[in-house]
Structure formats: structure tokens, C-alpha cells
């Protein structure tokens, strides 16, 4: 038998205990779990967590993790008592807007495979008799939600992991991380060093302090969250739940867990009492020096339990009594401010350190998703990949500016404030803004740009300067009226901008897209190993290619331009690509120092303008000596030249499906480049266009968006990008697996749909039905201004054919759609190659 790798897990809470269990289940035996607190009650968030497992989430990944957590904890049984009580979940609406939101959430649940129903007020009352029926309009009921007995679960998980060889050690604060040659070798606690091949920090709100030991920025802050337990309530006296002798917190309940998101409240039964959690108060960040120094840790005395701030609960308490009248006259038997972890985007933090190989984190993980995240991390360690895509959790998703303490503090508090808010998928954060702006930002403001925000970048969605063009559109280009939800953060101006791109010429700011530079004697070999296409081409070639994981899933898609013999420019999808390529570059140079490769993120120091449309050549050719004819610069070719004296790099690419170029220069010359192109284009009628038009045009052209349309759970052939997998190429990551997938087609494919009525909009993540059965879900959607109808891409059964009809559930309304051939615009690639 192969010797088990040595793993040290920092943190013996619900995540660390689950991870020890998952690893030992997979045959790894040399597992040591350390915690600064005593075992079993360590004093972290797990020790006081209310144990709610609400599964429905906009994220498919997080929904699946919650479902796995419930199922796994339900299997933990001792003395007839389970660590999970499937009482169901109920989310009530007291406003019309919330009622519509519940319909959207029901759609998510259906898309991700959960049973969920929107019920009326009477049925909500029947499910939870304490509700004042007159206060609610309806509710969302998820029968498989439930309550985790987190402390009991940790106890059972620890016992099972220990029976397989794991060791748990309490009162062992971690004081150092040992390393050698860029790899972790152990964990120090006082004078003791625990050797390790892998270290996983599952330290919860202590995660940043552990990260500091290796210089890794862990972007989370501890925030206090109010929780009270009432005195016994008359309607619950003598209930079956109250009569049961229970261990932990989950089994003394029969009522469904209840969320009143309009008032930032949730409720759960504790026998004759109710527990009430409130986010309806100011964000209360907690420094490590402010946490109670409790000495002996008990159920009511621990570092994660702060003193209750009663003034913050006065308003919420009134709202509790309105919804649940039986609370009138009740008192508080227990009340505290419990500490939980919050991050800049509200997501968990999972991944390996970029600078210290073998050091992983699994932080900001609530009980709700604990077992699912632990399973994924175990798969990362044992198999090298998680079967569930982790892009939304990967700590490498954050840009450097998003890791700074001020940014983390402000955005994490916003996420606390907005945790139950109704959030539109395009809705930008209100603050901080203007964190990252392109060199063209001044001109965009002058043109009345409406900005959305992503990764700190301000990105124009449309320009008010183009408003007059809407009335000039041909009749068939006039955009239809939208429903209020899909109309948010959209404008009819995008139709005019799309029309100008298809019929004339437009300028797009592409600066926010990630740009990497790979250089050195090992650059080609590195990229050949990571990608599916042959990249040993002539200087000036540009290649669309994929990076796969070991199972043949799509890890990312890239455009790779060979600028010089040992210099490549990559158009990438974000920080995850940078992190992945950097790690492989380090491994390659360690194995053979002669094959070193430098990987640089050049996004901040460069900028890019997309000039696209049938008159793009007329605009650009007058400014450069570079031959822009098809003979001089073919489609998917690059050239280094100048425009009006500005050194630029031209790439003949087009994500909107029109003739044109991506034009790159350094950031200091960016404004001059914009002004030069703008001035030269005035006689042609050039306009600036935004992301609204861009998204519409790319869907009409059938271009995929990694992370929305495909990820590691999908193979290239099912996702419609199999053309980027060169069958003759050998030796790249995922080669064997993807060839097996080529010969064994997937049961699902990404298909293009158009909405039959020509006007009804969908937004993405809605469930798709055939004959009343859920068969898939929407990935991307937009109104196709050129084809004059809404377009949606969706994962559907592979056997379905063009022309077949489906129905999309949009806020409870069934919208009819048809599978169509793609791409819908210029399928022969005539226009783009003109």
C-alpha cells in the first residue's frame, strides 16, 4: 500500500472535522487536526452556529454543497439520533418584490435539482403555524432543508476519522508554518513541529492570522451577528420536539426553519423556544484583540460569543412579533453577538497558496456548505481536481486591490448589510467605486457612460451620447419593451450601439479583460503543456485554445498570440488563469532550470480598444502604415506597428463577430490612442459602445463565456468548443481524458435557443422544461438585436435536435422557446474575414 501523505488541518470545527473524515474515507490515514481551542468545543463559529442548512442559492456549486452537507450529516447517527433534522425550509414574502424573488429562487432550486414550491399564505401558515397569515403574501418551501447539530456532527465526524487513524489535538495554537524550497513541510505549535506534505487552514475567522504566517492575504473579516433564544412559548409547550431528549441543536425542532428576508431575520425551533438570528443591524467588525479572552470554554463562554448589543435588536424584535404574534410577551433566555466570517463578495475561500505549494485554505465556510466544501478540498488533495467546479470559491479569483485590508473591510461589511437583499445579476456594488478605471475613463464620462463594475473595474454598459440614435433605428431594430426586472441596468441605447457595430463602426473598451505575458526559453513548452492547440506557429499567429483539467473539463479558454520566438500574449479569464499558469511555470523551471518562463500580469500597465464593424478598416487603415488588407493581416493574426505615432499591437480578433481589431498599447498612451481613433472616426460616424451591445452581439455569434456557459464540469465537445482541441497534439494536461470524451459523447450539450414570442426576456439560471419535466437550465441570455429576438444558451439533453420546443420558467411564467442552429449571425464567417 502506498504510504499516506501527511496532512495537517488547522481548525477542528465543522470544516476541519469534515475534511479529516473525507480524507480518511479516501484512504489517507496520516491526518493531524490542530485547534487553538479545546476539543470538542473549540470556541469558534461552529460552537455557536444555529445550524441552518438552506440550500437554494444562485450558485449551482453552493446549492450542491449544501445538499451534500445535509445528506452527509443526516447519515451521522448515534443512539438513533441524527446530526441533521430535515424539517424543511420556508422563506416568506411580505412584499410584492419579495414574492417575485421567491419565484426566481424557486427557479434556481429547480435548475439545480431541488424540490421547491411557491405556496400561498394559507399553506405557509399550515407549514409554520406561528406565522400571522395576514402578514405574508406567500412563501417558498424547500422540503429537504433542515437543521444541522453542528457540535454533535463534529463529535461524530471526529470519532469516525480517529477510528481510521486521524489524530485531533486541542489547545494547540499554530505559531508557524515550516517550509523548504517553496513547499510546505510542517506546522509548528509551540516547540512541536508536525511534519506535513499538505496543510489546510480551516481556521474560520482566524484564517487571516494563519495566512499571515506565510504572507498569504486571506480576504475575510470577522463580523458579529445577533442571535437570541426566547423564553418558552405557549404554542410550543408540550410539543413533540420539546419532549425529545436531544443532543446538540438540530433535533429539538419540528417546525421548518423560517426566513423573513424582508426584515433580515431568520427563526428556528429549540423545543419550547425559538432561536432568532438578525442581520438587521449595523455591521460590527471584530478585531482579534476585541474577542473575549474567556479562559475555560463553555457553551455560553467562548471567543466567538460577543456581548449582546440590545439596542441593535429593538427594531428587529418588533418585526419578529409582527410576523410571529406568539412572541409578544416573550423574553430572552440567551442573547449574544456571534462571530462569523465575511468576504468581499460573500463567497467562501478555497485554494492553494500561490507562493507556498501544498498550503491550502478552506475559510469563510458556513455550516450550510461545510461537508460539500470539505469533499471538494479532499478531492483537490487526493485526485488533483474537484468534481464540482470551484471557480466561485477559489481565493485566486480576487485581484490584488481586492485583497487590501481597506477594501476587504468595506466590501465585507456591505455583504453583511445586503445578505438578504434582492440583488439583480447585473447590479454593481455602490462602494467602493472607481477603484480601477481605464485610460479612456475621462472620455467615457464625457459621453455619458453608464458604468457597471466587475473585479473593481468600471465598465461602460452603454453611452447616453447615443440616445438620439435609438429613434433613427430601422423599425425592425427597435428594441421591444422589457419587463421591469430584465429592464434593470439595461437600456434601448444598446440596440443602437449594436446596430452601429453591425452596420458601421464602433469602439469598445476591452481594458478590463485579463492580459498575461509569458516569456523566456520555456514559454512555448509551458503553454504547449497547458493548452489543447498547437502553439508552435509563426510569429504573429493568434490561436484560440483551451486549458483542461485532468478529467478533460474546460478549465479556461485563452487567446494566445505569438509576439516573438519566446514571447506570448494571452487573453485570459482572470486571476485563476494567472495563478494556474504561474504554478506550472514554477514546477517546470524547478524540474529544468533551463526551461524557465516568466509569467506577468500586464493588465494594469496596458489597455485595449476593440474597433469593430464593416467600416473598421476605413477607420484604422488611415492611421497606420501596417497593411490591413487580408493579404497584409489575416484573421487571427497579430502585428506590432504604430497608429499615428503610438506604438500598438494589433490583433485581428472580434468577439462581436464583425471585421476589426483589438488594439493594445501601454496605459500611459491609452487616452491619446482613444482620442486619435475617435477623431479619425468622426467622418465615418464612429460611436463608443458598451457591454450591453457587446453581450448581445457575442451571443448572436455563438461565442462562449467561460464561467457562465462552460467550466470544469463540461467537456469541450458538449460545450461547442471541440474545434479548439487538436486531435494530433500530445502531451498536454487532460489529453487522455478529453480523447475519451471525444469518443464517448456527453449526455448533455450547450444549445442555442430563441424565444418564440420574440419579446420575452430571460436572464440566466432559469430551468428549462420539456413536457413538464425539468431537463436543463439557461446559462447566458440577451436580446439579439440583429436577429430581433431574445437568445438564450442552455444545457440540454444531447439527443434534442434543432427545431424542438422547450419552455423556460421565468418568475413562474412558462416562456416558449426553440432550439436553433448556431451561430445565428454570419455562420460562414464571411463578414468577420472580409
Amino acid at each position: 500500500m502506498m504510504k499516506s501523505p501527511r496532512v495537517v488541518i488547522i481548525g477542528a470545527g465543522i470544516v476541519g472535522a469534515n475534511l479529516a473524515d473525507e480524507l480518511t474515507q479516501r484512504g489517507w490515514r496520516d491526518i493531524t487536526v490542530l485547534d487553538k481551542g479545546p476539543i470538542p468545543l473549540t470556541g469558534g463559529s461552529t460552537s455557536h452556529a444555529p445550524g441552518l442548512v438552506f440550500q437554494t442559492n444562485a450558485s449551482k456549486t453552493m446549492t450542491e454543497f449544501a445538499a451534500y452537507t445535509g445528506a452527509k450529516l443526516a447519515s451521522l447517527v448515534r443512539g438513533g439520533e441524527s446530526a441533521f433534522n430535515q424539517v424543511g425550509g420556508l422563506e416568506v414574502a411580505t412584499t410584492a418584490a419579495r414574492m417575485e424573488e421567491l419565484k426566481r429562487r424557486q427557479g434556481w432550486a429547480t435548475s439545480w435539482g431541488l424540490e421547491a414550491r411557491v405556496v400561498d399564505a394559507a399553506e405557509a401558515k399550515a407549514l409554520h403555524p406561528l406565522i400571522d397569515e395576514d402578514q405574508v403574501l406567500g412563501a417558498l418551501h424547500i422540503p429537504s432543508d433542515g437543521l444541522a447539530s453542528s457540535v454533535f456532527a463534529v463529535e461524530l465526524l471526529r470519532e469516525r476519522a480517529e477510528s481510521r487513524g486521524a489524530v485531533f489535538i486541542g489547545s494547540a495554537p499554530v505559531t508557524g508554518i515550516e517550509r523548504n524550497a517553496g513547499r510546505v513541510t510542517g506546522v509548528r505549535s509551540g516547540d512541536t513541529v508536525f511534519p506535513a506534505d499538505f496543510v489546510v487552514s480551516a481556521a474560520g475567522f482566524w484564517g487571516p492570522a494563519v495566512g499571515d504566517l506565510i504572507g498569504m492575504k486571506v480576504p475575510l473579516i470577522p463580523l458579529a451577528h445577533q442571535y437570541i433564544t426566547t423564553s418558552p412559548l405557549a404554542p410550543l409547550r408540550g410539543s413533540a420536539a420539546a419532549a425529545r431528549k436531544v443532543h446538540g441543536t438540530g433535533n429539538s425542532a419540528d417546525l421548518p426553519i423560517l426566513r423573513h428576508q424582508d426584515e433580515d431575520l431568520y427563526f428556528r425551533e429549540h423545543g419550547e423556544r425559538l432561536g432568532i438570528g438578525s442581520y438587521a443591524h449595523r455591521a460590527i467588525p471584530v478585531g482579534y484583540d476585541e474577542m473575549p479572552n474567556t479562559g475555560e470554554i463553555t457553551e455560553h463562554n467562548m471567543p466567538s460569543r460577543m456581548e449582546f448589543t440590545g439596542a441593535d435588536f429593538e427594531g428587529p424584535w418588533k418585526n419578529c412579533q409582527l410576523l410571529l404574534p406568539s412572541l409578544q410577551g416573550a423574553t430572552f433566555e440567551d442573547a449574544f453577538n456571534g462571530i462569523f466570517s465575511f468576504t468581499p463578495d460573500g463567497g467562501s475561500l478555497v485554494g492553494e497558496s500561490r507562493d507556498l505549494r501544498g498550503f491550502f485554505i478552506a475559510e469563510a465556510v458556513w455550516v450550510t456548505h461545510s461537508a460539500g466544501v470539505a469533499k471538494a478540498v479532499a478531492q483537490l488533495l487526493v485526485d488533483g481536481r474537484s468534481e464540482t467546479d470551484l471557480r466561485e470559491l477559489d481565493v485566486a479569483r480576487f485581484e490584488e486591490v481586492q485583497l487590501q485590508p481597506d477594501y476587504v473591510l468595506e466590501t465585507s461589511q456591505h455583504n453583511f448589510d445586503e445578505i438578504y437583499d434582492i440583488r439583480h445579476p447585473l447590479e454593481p456594488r455602490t462602494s467602493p467605486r472607481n477603484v480601477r478605471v481605464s485610460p479612456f475613463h475621462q472620455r467615457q464620462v464625457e459621453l455619458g457612460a453608464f458604468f457597471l463594475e466587475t473585479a473593481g473595474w468600471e465598465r461602460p454598459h452603454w453611452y447616453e451620447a447615443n440616445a438620439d440614435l435609438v429613434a433613427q433605428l430601422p423599425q425592425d431594430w427597435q428594441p421591444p419593451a422589457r419587463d421591469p426586472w430584465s429592464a434593470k441596468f439595461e437600456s434601448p441605447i444598446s440596440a443602437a450601439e449594436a446596430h452601429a457595430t453591425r452596420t458601421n463602426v464602433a469602439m469598445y473598451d476591452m481594458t478590463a479583460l485579463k492580459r498575461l505575458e509569458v516569456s523566456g526559453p520555456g514559454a512555448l513548452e509551458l503553454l504547449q503543456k497547458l493548452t489543447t492547440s498547437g502553439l508552435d506557429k509563426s510569429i504573429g499567429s493568434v490561436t484560440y485554445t483551451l486549458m483542461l483539467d485532468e478529467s478533460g473539463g474546460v478549465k479556461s479558454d485563452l487567446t494566445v498570440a505569438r509576439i516573438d520566438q519566446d514571447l506570448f500574449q494571452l487573453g485570459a479569464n482572470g486571476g485563476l488563469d494567472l495563478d494556474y499558469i504561474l504554478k506550472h511555470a514554477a514546477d517546470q523551471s524547478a524540474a529544468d532550470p533551463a526551461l524557465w518562463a516568466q509569467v506577468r500580469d500586464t493588465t494594469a500597465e496596458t489597455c485595449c480598444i476593440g474597433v469593430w464593424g464593416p467600416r473598421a478598416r476605413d477607420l484604422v487603415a488611415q492611421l497606420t502604415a501596417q497593411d490591413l488588407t487580408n493579404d497584409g493581416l489575416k484573421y487571427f493574426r497579430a502585428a506590432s506597428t504604430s497608429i499615428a505615432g503610438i506604438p500598438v499591437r494589433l490583433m485581428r480578433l472580434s468577439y462581436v463577430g464583425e471585421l476589426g481589431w483589438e488594439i493594445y498599447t501601454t496605459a500611459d498612451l491609452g487616452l491619446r490612442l482613444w482620442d486619435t481613433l475617435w477623431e479619425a472616426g468622426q467622418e465615418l460616424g464612429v460611436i463608443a459602445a458598451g457591454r450591453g451591445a457587446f453581450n448581445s452581439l457575442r451571443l448572436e455569434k455563438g461565442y462562449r463565456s467561460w464561467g457562465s456557459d462552460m467550466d470544469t464540469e463540461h467537456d469541450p465537445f458538449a460545450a461547442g468548443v471541440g474545434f479548439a482541441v487538436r486531435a494530433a497534439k500530445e502531451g498536454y494536461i487532460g489529453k487522455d481524458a478529453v480523447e475519451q470524451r471525444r469518443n464517448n459523447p456527453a449526455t448533455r450539450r450547450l444549445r442555442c435557443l430563441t424565444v418564440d414570442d420574440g419579446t420575452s426576456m430571460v436572464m440566466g439560471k432559469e430551468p428549462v422544461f420539456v413536457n413538464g419535466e425539468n431537463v436543463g437550465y439557461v446559462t447566458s441570455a440577451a436580446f439579439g438585436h440583429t436577429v430581433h429576438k431574445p437568445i438564450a444558451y442552455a444545457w440540454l439533453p444531447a439527443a434534442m435536435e434543432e427545431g424542438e420546443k422547450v419552455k423556460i420558467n421565468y418568475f413562474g411564467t412558462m416562456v416558449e422557446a426553440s432550439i436553433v442552429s448556431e451561430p445565428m449571425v454570419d455562420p460562414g464567417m464571411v463578414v468577420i474575414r472580409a
Side-chain angles (χ1 to χ4, degrees):
M1 177 183 292
M2 183 180 296
K3 184 179 179 181
S4 171
R6 299 166 299 180
V7 181
V8 174
I9 300 169
I10 303 171
I14 191 72
V15 179
N18 261 301
L19 180 56
D21 179 68
E22 295 284 341
L23 288 172
T24 55
Q25 179 186 345
R26 287 164 173 77
W28 285 23
R29 297 291 184 254
D30 197 345
I31 313 296
T32 302
V33 185
L34 305 177
D35 202 291
K36 66 184 302 179
I39 291 176
L41 198 65
T42 63
S45 298
T46 299
S47 301
H48 66 71
L52 279 64
V53 179
F54 264 105
Q55 300 165 89
T56 305
N57 196 294
S59 165
K60 176 175 178 286
T61 292
M62 300 310 282
T63 300
E64 290 178 354
F65 283 169
Y68 180 81
T69 297
K72 179 178 179 180
L73 298 189
S75 71
L76 298 175
V77 179
R78 184 171 67 191
E81 181 186 339
S82 169
F84 184 75
N85 183 6
Q86 195 178 82
V87 293
L90 196 67
E91 303 178 23
V92 297
T94 58
T95 65
R98 181 67 61 180
M99 197 66 204
E100 289 302 298
E101 171 72 357
L102 295 186
K103 294 175 185 177
R104 183 168 71 130
R105 292 176 61 80
Q106 191 270 341
W108 294 340
T110 303
S111 290
W112 315 145
L114 291 180
E115 178 189 350
R117 293 186 307 120
V118 175
V119 302
D120 62 18
E123 189 167 355
K125 171 77 170 179
L127 289 164
H128 199 298
L130 301 188
I131 292 173
D132 180 353
E133 183 179 345
D134 293 336
Q135 294 292 319
V136 302
L137 303 177
L140 177 66
H141 181 227
I142 306 95
S144 55
D145 285 347
L147 292 165
S149 302
S150 52
V151 174
F152 184 41
V154 167
E155 186 178 331
L156 298 182
L157 289 165
R158 175 176 56 82
E159 291 175 357
R160 188 160 71 183
E162 286 178 333
S163 72
R164 298 169 179 154
V167 175
F168 284 66
I169 303 173
S171 302
V174 171
T175 55
I177 306 295
E178 305 292 308
R179 70 190 80 189
N180 183 46
R183 185 164 188 94
V184 72
T185 60
V187 174
R188 178 178 294 277
S189 177
D191 295 330
T192 305
V193 174
F194 299 88
D197 302 299
F198 296 98
V199 173
V200 182
S201 176
F205 57 74
W206 296 104
V210 176
D212 287 345
L213 296 175
I214 65 164
M216 180 181 183
K217 295 173 182 174
V218 178
L220 71 80
I221 62 168
L223 284 170
H225 158 58
Q226 293 197 306
Y227 192 81
I228 68 107
T229 303
T230 70
S231 56
L233 304 179
L236 299 180
R237 287 196 176 97
S239 67
R244 287 198 295 270
K245 293 182 179 179
V246 295
H247 186 148
T249 62
N251 290 302
S252 55
D254 289 321
L255 293 175
I257 46 181
L258 176 66
R259 287 206 287 190
H260 183 14
Q261 292 162 302
D262 285 322
E263 298 297 344
D264 297 316
L265 296 164
Y266 64 81
F267 307 83
R268 56 143 302 167
E269 186 180 3
H270 289 290
E272 295 182 340
R273 300 160 177 81
L274 280 187
I276 305 171
S278 171
Y279 295 102
H281 58 82
R282 62 195 168 92
I284 307 174
V286 182
Y288 291 140
D289 58 345
E290 299 175 276
M291 295 178 185
N293 184 9
T294 59
E296 182 181 358
I297 293 177
T298 67
E299 181 181 352
H300 297 286
N301 187 36
M302 60 183 72
S304 58
R305 280 181 57 118
M306 303 284 291
E307 183 178 348
F308 187 67
T309 52
D312 289 311
F313 198 65
E314 290 176 0
W317 180 235
K318 293 176 182 177
N319 290 319
C320 291
Q321 294 172 84
L322 284 174
L323 181 66
L324 306 174
S326 58
L327 290 174
Q328 295 171 14
T331 59
F332 306 160
E333 288 197 352
D334 185 27
F336 63 95
N337 289 1
I339 299 174
F340 290 91
S341 302
F342 280 78
T343 65
D345 62 3
S348 299
L349 306 173
V350 173
E352 185 183 23
S353 165
R354 180 175 296 171
D355 300 314
L356 184 59
R357 301 302 298 274
F359 183 92
F360 288 76
I361 68 170
E363 310 288 20
V365 182
W366 292 8
V367 172
T368 309
H369 310 105
S370 55
V373 169
K375 173 187 173 185
V377 174
Q379 290 174 337
L380 283 178
L381 299 184
V382 176
D383 306 323
R385 70 177 297 272
S386 163
E387 64 185 6
T388 301
D389 186 83
L390 295 179
R391 70 184 185 280
E392 297 168 320
L393 288 74
D394 198 315
V395 69
R397 70 188 184 271
F398 293 107
E399 298 293 318
E400 185 64 26
V401 68
Q402 296 176 296
L403 298 174
Q404 302 310 305
D406 288 350
Y407 186 94
V408 175
L409 178 63
E410 180 175 354
T411 54
S412 297
Q413 290 183 87
H414 285 327
N415 282 318
F416 178 92
D417 293 337
E418 299 169 353
I419 191 166
Y420 281 167
D421 287 1
I422 299 171
R423 301 284 296 176
H424 191 277
L426 293 178
E427 188 165 352
R429 67 174 74 253
T430 57
S431 177
R433 292 295 297 268
N434 295 317
V435 174
R436 308 173 81 188
V437 298
S438 78
F440 329 126
H441 186 257
Q442 178 183 343
R443 297 293 182 261
Q444 293 165 345
V445 171
E446 293 168 358
L447 291 169
F450 179 83
F451 293 98
L452 298 182
E453 179 265 350
T454 182
W457 284 104
E458 297 293 327
R459 305 174 78 179
H461 206 56
W462 70 79
Y463 293 86
E464 287 294 333
N466 299 323
D468 291 345
L469 299 179
V470 178
Q472 302 172 30
L473 288 172
Q475 185 59 42
D476 59 348
W477 274 82
Q478 290 293 329
R482 289 174 175 254
D483 67 276
W485 183 254
S486 68
K488 291 186 71 172
F489 307 107
E490 293 289 358
S491 170
I493 296 172
S494 292
E497 294 176 358
H499 181 262
T501 309
R502 289 281 190 240
T503 62
N504 192 40
V505 60
M507 291 166 51
Y508 288 81
D509 181 0
M510 305 299 289
T511 301
L513 300 184
K514 179 70 73 175
R515 289 176 294 285
L516 308 178
E517 189 176 272
V518 182
S519 60
L524 176 61
E525 183 160 333
L526 172 66
L527 294 174
Q528 288 282 61
K529 177 184 177 182
L530 298 181
T531 65
T532 60
S533 305
L535 300 180
D536 192 5
K537 299 178 180 179
S538 62
I539 293 172
S541 64
V542 184
T543 306
Y544 174 80
T545 189
L546 307 175
M547 292 194 298
L548 307 180
D549 65 14
E550 294 286 1
S551 75
V554 181
K555 193 169 187 69
S556 189
D557 63 343
L558 308 170
T559 54
V560 180
R562 192 169 198 177
I563 306 304
D564 209 336
Q565 190 68 20
D566 294 328
L567 174 62
F568 297 82
Q569 178 177 314
L570 278 59
N573 281 301
L576 275 66
D577 292 343
L578 173 63
D579 184 69
Y580 182 70
I581 297 169
L582 276 170
K583 288 173 179 174
H584 279 279
D587 290 346
Q588 179 174 289
S589 61
D592 185 349
L595 289 176
W596 64 267
Q598 182 183 54
V599 183
R600 295 179 56 240
D601 182 353
T602 62
T603 310
E605 63 195 60
T606 58
C607 58
C608 178
I609 302 173
V611 180
W612 292 311
R615 302 199 69 185
R617 184 177 283 120
D618 297 336
L619 194 165
V620 181
Q622 61 182 300
L623 301 172
T624 180
Q626 171 67 42
D627 183 357
L628 297 184
T629 66
N630 278 317
D631 291 335
L633 192 62
K634 295 179 180 179
Y635 183 56
F636 262 74
R637 295 289 296 181
S640 296
T641 182
S642 66
I643 287 179
I646 304 166
V648 299
R649 189 172 289 164
L650 295 177
M651 293 189 195
R652 191 169 169 191
L653 308 175
S654 174
Y655 205 50
V656 298
E658 292 293 328
L659 169 68
W661 296 268
E662 294 179 355
I663 306 176
Y664 300 88
T665 192
T666 53
D668 60 322
L669 296 173
L671 184 58
R672 182 180 170 196
L673 176 64
W674 178 281
D675 287 345
T676 300
L677 291 167
W678 185 258
E679 182 179 353
Q682 289 310 295
E683 64 181 21
L684 300 174
V686 70
I687 69 162
R691 298 293 297 184
F694 181 92
N695 291 333
S696 170
L697 298 171
R698 75 98 178 165
L699 282 177
E700 291 179 328
K701 191 59 181 171
Y703 291 147
R704 276 51 172 159
S705 174
W706 185 85
S708 297
D709 299 317
M710 59 187 181
D711 55 39
T712 56
E713 296 182 20
H714 308 115
D715 74 62
F717 312 108
V721 290
F723 63 87
V725 181
R726 185 180 175 190
K729 184 179 179 182
E730 300 290 343
Y732 62 85
I733 294 172
K735 165 68 175 180
D736 293 341
V738 81
E739 290 305 321
Q740 290 180 7
R741 294 199 186 205
R742 187 196 298 272
N743 298 322
N744 297 282
T747 59
R748 301 171 71 77
R749 288 178 57 196
L750 187 65
R751 304 301 299 266
C752 182
L753 306 173
T754 58
V755 174
D756 292 347
D757 66 16
T759 59
S760 297
M761 290 300 305
V762 298
M763 299 290 293
K765 303 185 178 181
E766 298 90 353
V768 181
F769 292 80
V770 174
N771 297 324
E773 179 184 355
N774 175 222
V775 297
Y777 61 91
V778 173
T779 59
S780 296
F783 188 84
H785 296 292
T786 314
V787 300
H788 317 309
K789 59 182 67 175
I791 301 171
Y793 273 78
W795 282 98
L796 298 174
M800 296 193 71
E801 299 179 351
E802 292 170 16
E804 289 194 54
K805 303 289 187 179
V806 301
K807 291 185 178 181
I808 305 171
N809 185 337
Y810 181 68
F811 286 91
T813 299
M814 288 297 187
V815 177
E816 295 189 349
S818 301
I819 301 176
V820 298
S821 176
E822 59 164 323
M824 299 187 69
V825 170
D826 191 26
M829 303 290 285
V830 175
V831 170
I832 204 169
R833 298 176 185 272

